Amino acid sequence: MLLIVGTVRLPAENLERARPAMRAMAEASRAEPGCLEYGYAEDVLVPGLIHVKELWQDQASLDAHFASSHIAVWRAAWPGLGIGERDLRVYEVGTPRKT
């Protein structure tokens, strides 16, 4: 499995306009084969900081995601939303366990 975690930043005043685009991206991604989790979360202390968490079954699923039309639409929206700084990392993970 592949875990992607990180953050994206946008001007806080653009959050209202960004939410529908983030929702559309999350819904389309969650419907993809191999997507186990996909979400965005607003930081409660830093306005405009969005935490990203994705979990993919394998590299082939992630590659298909990167080639999808909805990711192209999402990326095309970045300049208008002021999304510039991105810090996302991919980790290979094993079987989860309860804590």
Side-chain angles (χ1 to χ4, degrees), residues 18-30 40 70 73-74:
R19 284 189 188 103
M22 289 189 294
R23 181 183 181 99
M25 180 61 182
E27 287 175 343
S29 297
R30 288 177 182 183
Y40 300 115
H70 56 272
V73 170
W74 169 233

Side-chain angles (χ1 to χ4, degrees), residues 39-53:
Y40 300 115
E42 294 178 38
D43 192 289
V44 297
L45 300 176
V46 182
L49 181 64
I50 305 297
H51 295 271
V52 179
K53 183 179 86 170

Side-chain angles (χ1 to χ4, degrees), residues 21 25 28-29 32 38 64-79:
M25 180 61 182
S29 297
E32 289 182 65
Y38 195 101
H65 169 68
F66 287 143
S68 69
S69 60
H70 56 272
I71 201 165
V73 170
W74 169 233
R75 288 178 175 171
W78 291 354

Side-chain angles (χ1 to χ4, degrees), residues 5 8 13 36 46 48 51-52 58-59 76 80 88 92 95 98-99:
V5 292
V8 297
E13 62 270 16
L36 305 173
V46 182
H51 295 271
V52 179
D58 52 31
Q59 186 63 51
L88 300 169
E92 291 186 35
T95 305
K98 299 262 184 193
T99 58

